[in-house]
């Protein structure tokens, strides 16, 4: 039977682009990315109105035939990307920003295009070595011994989960349901979620009270451990925070390490936000004692300004990670010996994983640690500047001065009932965000609403802090809080 001729535009291997097609696609994308970044300072801070309708419009059927690349990129940059919080903007001061430095995007392009497998050392000695180098830099920054190690994760939530599982396997028997984990009432919710995912009942997570500076109270730990042991439970883990999401508080890590040792607890430090301030003199002083932890969570996508999806867990002894996560299979190479060359598949639940280390390694090679240190010192200085300016405004109450680069504040209205004062605080937050020059997020502290400003984007400089102050004053006058 004669072959049916192909349609004129049909290709034998449509997924294999020609060199010209690859150049055209990448150059078109690059032009749009560069234009987007160039226009960031003047872009609105958020465009999420009508999000439900817009989301439904974008969720269509699987296309049977492709479209021109220019059409697809136009849809992305004109309709998809703008419908979000502008987290890359210099005015983004909400939650815990990062920014996403450009060299990391180049690293992801190289990593995805070359598509090397890094779950097993034997499959990629070169790429794995790059990731090992990153982890050793982080280990030295934290101050762990040479026995320490870790794995890059998708973020702090997964890092906290790996730490909880490692602690559970190290400190508790197979029947672990009597185990108790202790943390501050300010701890990140991912710690509680990690305990639940690791199999603990919610009532086995103790939320200990915090002090006036929002740091964990160790006297409460002593009381709870004694009470739980008397009840036949098994205290096994203490989690301290090095920069909480609510107020940026840093627990007394040295005192926490002492308490954990006294009670025989695994000591974990969630330093997702604050960890990379160890590059600075102020951070090293504030986080003194972190080197005594059994495990530490870091988020390079925060303090190293990398793209979202870059986290890390470090442990004092890498064998604790390996004992908790290694499962052998016939189709995998035999476990590596103690030669410092790890199989990442043995250190986490992931067998398939992307080459995350390159997006850390390449920017640090290009810029060096000094550039990141300078940027972090600038953020510390900007937070101090913002605090000084807010403290000078009688109509603002600074609830949590910055211990690092995050501070929390609210409207001061002493003549109003608490519920009316709280309503003013919420209106102040909404009014500032409606100006579209900065974005702040809110939270609740001691049951009262507050505004948060976290200065952590590498693009945020003094001019944007001045814009925030202008907008606060403008909205404050409109609400009758500030003078004319």
């Amino acid at each position: 039977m004669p072959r049916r001729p192909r349609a004129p535009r049909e290709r034998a291997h449509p997924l294999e682009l020609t060199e010209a097609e690859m150049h055209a696609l990448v150059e078109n994308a690059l032009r749009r990315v560069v234009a987007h970044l160039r226009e960031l300072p003047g872009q609105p801070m958020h465009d999420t109105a009508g999000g439900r309708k817009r989301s439904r419009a974008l969720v269509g059927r699987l296309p049977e035939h492709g479209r021109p690349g220019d059409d697809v990129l136009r849809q992305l940059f004109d309709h998809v990307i703008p419908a979000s919080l502008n987290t890359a903007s210099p005015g983004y001061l909400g939650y815990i920003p990062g920014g996403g430095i450009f060299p990391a995007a180049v690293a992801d392009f190289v990593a995805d295009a070359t598509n090397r497998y890094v779950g097993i050392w034997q499959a990629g000695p070169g790429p794995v070595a790059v990731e090992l180098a990153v982890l050793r830099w982080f280990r030295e920054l934290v101050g762990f011994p040479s026995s320490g190690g870790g794995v890059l994760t998708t973020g702090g939530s997964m890092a906290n989960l790996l730490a909880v599982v490692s602690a559970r396997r190290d400190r508790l028997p197979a029947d672990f349901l009597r185990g108790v984990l202790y943390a501050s009432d300010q701890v990140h919710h991912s710690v509680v979620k990690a305990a639940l995912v690791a199999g603990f009942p919610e009532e086995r997570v103790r939320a200990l009270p915090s002090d006036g500076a929002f740091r964990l109270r160790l006297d409460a730990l002593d009381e709870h451990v004694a009470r739980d042991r008397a009840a036949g439970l098994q205290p096994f883990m203490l989690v301290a925070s090095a920069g909480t999401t609510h107020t940026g508080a840093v627990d007394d890590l040295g005192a926490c390490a002492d308490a954990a040792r006294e009670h025989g607890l695994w000591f974990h430090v969630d330093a997702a936000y604050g960890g990379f301030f160890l590059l600075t003199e102020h951070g090293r002083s504030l986080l003194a004692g972190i080197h005594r932890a059994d495990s530490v969570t870091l988020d390079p996508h925060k303090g190293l300004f990398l793209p979202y999806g870059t986290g890390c867990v470090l442990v004092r002894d890498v064998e604790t990670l390996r004992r908790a996560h290694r499962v052998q299979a016939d189709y995998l190479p035999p476990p590596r010996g103690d030669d410092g060359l790890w199989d990442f598949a043995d250190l986490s639940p992931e067998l398939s994983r992307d080459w995350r280390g390159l997006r850390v390694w390449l920017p640090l090679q290009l810029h060096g640690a000094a550039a990141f240190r300078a940027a972090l010192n600038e953020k510390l200085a900007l937070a101090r500047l913002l605090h000084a300016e807010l403290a000078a405004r009688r109509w603002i109450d600074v609830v949590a001065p910055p211990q690092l680069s995050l501070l929390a504040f609210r409207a001061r209205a002493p003549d109003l009932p608490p519920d009316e004062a709280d309503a003013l605080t919420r209106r102040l937050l909404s009014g500032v965000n409606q100006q579209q020059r900065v974005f702040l997020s809110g939270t609740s502290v001691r049951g009262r609403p507050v505004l948060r400003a976290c200065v952590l984007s590498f693009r945020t400089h003094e001019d944007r802090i001045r814009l925030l102050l202008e907008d606060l004053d403008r909205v404050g006058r409109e609400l009758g809080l500030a003078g004319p």
Side-chain angles (χ1 to χ4, degrees):
M1 185 174 179
R3 257 183 171 173
R4 183 168 61 90
R6 293 192 185 103
R9 299 180 65 84
E10 187 178 348
R11 293 165 51 166
H13 306 291
L15 298 181
E16 298 179 20
L17 303 186
T18 66
E19 287 190 22
E21 289 170 331
M22 286 188 280
H23 274 287
L25 181 61
V26 171
E27 288 165 8
N28 193 352
L30 180 61
R31 280 196 300 272
R32 290 183 178 276
V33 167
V34 170
H36 174 79
L37 296 179
R38 183 179 62 244
E39 296 161 4
L40 267 178
Q43 290 176 7
M45 291 305 309
H46 54 87
D47 184 13
T48 56
R52 187 183 301 273
K53 180 179 179 181
R54 292 159 77 175
S55 293
R56 286 174 175 165
L58 288 168
V59 180
R61 292 182 177 275
L62 174 68
E64 182 64 25
H65 302 287
R67 293 188 287 150
D70 190 58
D71 289 352
V72 177
L73 288 171
R74 184 182 301 111
Q75 181 183 20
L76 272 177
F77 280 89
D78 292 352
H79 301 288
V80 177
I81 294 171
S84 59
L85 298 180
N86 196 346
T87 52
S89 168
Y92 188 76
L93 305 172
Y95 303 102
I96 309 289
I101 55 178
F102 187 78
V106 175
D108 279 355
F109 173 72
V110 172
D112 292 348
T114 58
N115 198 32
R116 292 306 190 252
Y117 175 66
V118 296
I120 303 293
W121 177 86
Q122 184 174 308
V128 170
V130 164
E131 202 149 316
L132 287 172
V134 167
L135 289 162
R136 286 170 184 164
W137 297 340
F138 292 175
R139 182 189 71 195
E140 292 168 2
L141 182 66
V142 167
F144 275 177
S146 59
S147 61
V151 62
L152 296 179
T153 67
T154 54
S157 295
M158 183 58 72
N160 284 334
L161 174 60
L162 299 188
V164 171
V165 170
S166 298
R168 188 197 77 193
R169 294 290 296 271
D170 188 72
R171 300 298 171 98
L172 294 174
D175 181 6
F176 57 82
L177 293 181
R178 289 184 297 150
V180 184
L181 179 152
Y182 304 89
S184 158
D185 57 12
Q186 302 295 305
V187 78
H188 195 270
H189 84 286
S190 65
V191 172
V192 179
K193 183 184 290 188
L196 298 180
V197 173
F200 292 96
E202 191 168 0
E203 60 268 22
R204 294 292 183 262
V205 181
R206 300 282 184 264
L208 304 178
S210 51
D211 63 17
F214 305 100
R215 297 171 301 191
L216 185 149
R217 278 180 43 198
L218 291 172
D219 60 325
L221 173 69
D222 296 338
E223 296 169 8
H224 278 80
V225 168
R227 189 181 308 138
D228 288 334
R229 286 207 167 111
L233 300 177
Q234 295 177 294
F236 80 102
M237 187 175 191
L238 172 65
V239 179
S241 299
T244 64
T245 299
H246 285 295
T247 65
V250 177
D251 292 330
D252 185 336
L253 302 183
C256 287
D258 290 339
R261 177 176 296 179
E262 177 185 348
H263 294 298
L265 307 176
W266 177 286
F267 179 37
H268 176 65
V269 178
D270 182 358
Y273 160 46
F276 286 104
F277 284 98
L278 286 166
L279 287 167
T280 70
E281 184 177 349
H282 175 74
R284 287 191 298 274
S285 175
L286 191 61
L287 274 64
I290 193 172
H291 67 286
R292 299 173 59 193
D294 293 294
S295 56
V296 173
T297 286
L298 300 170
D299 263 358
H301 66 210
K302 294 184 174 75
L304 287 185
F305 319 115
L306 298 181
Y308 295 125
T310 319
C312 178
V313 64
L314 297 173
V315 291
R316 171 171 294 279
D317 181 359
V318 73
E319 283 303 315
T320 58
L321 267 183
R322 192 175 280 120
R323 286 194 299 269
H325 296 96
R326 174 190 281 165
V327 175
Q328 192 55 33
D330 291 340
Y331 46 80
L332 297 176
R336 297 204 58 79
D338 186 18
D339 57 5
L341 301 174
W342 314 325
D343 290 335
F344 293 125
D346 290 342
L347 307 182
S348 85
E350 296 179 298
L351 179 60
S352 298
R353 61 193 300 277
D354 58 329
W355 185 11
R356 295 178 194 129
L358 190 59
R359 78 171 68 117
V360 188
W361 184 88
L362 182 62
L364 284 168
Q365 292 286 352
L366 288 174
H367 298 297
F372 291 88
R373 181 179 300 109
L376 289 168
N377 275 320
E378 181 195 24
K379 308 316 156 195
L380 293 170
L382 290 175
R384 290 193 296 268
L385 168 66
L386 179 57
H387 174 229
E389 290 284 350
L390 293 177
R393 287 158 169 77
R394 295 184 178 181
W395 54 277
I396 286 181
D397 179 18
V398 179
V399 176
Q403 296 181 38
L404 289 167
S405 68
L406 189 161
L407 64 160
F409 58 99
R410 63 176 165 232
R412 177 182 290 158
D415 298 331
L416 294 178
D419 58 338
E420 293 184 28
D422 290 349
L424 278 176
T425 293
R426 295 188 185 96
R427 290 170 63 191
L428 183 63
L429 173 62
S430 175
V432 168
N433 286 341
Q434 286 174 11
Q435 307 302 307
Q436 292 280 15
R437 302 200 296 179
V438 299
F439 179 82
L440 304 179
S441 56
T443 188
S444 178
V445 173
R446 309 285 197 239
R448 303 284 302 278
V450 297
L451 292 76
R452 298 169 60 266
C454 183
V455 189
L456 200 59
S457 171
F458 70 100
R459 295 186 176 100
T460 301
H461 307 296
E462 184 176 342
D463 60 332
R464 195 60 61 147
I465 300 302
R466 297 294 178 187
L467 291 180
L468 165 59
L469 292 166
E470 288 178 12
D471 290 348
L472 279 169
D473 288 341
R474 181 183 301 112
V475 178
R477 287 191 297 270
E478 293 172 356
L479 295 176
L481 291 165

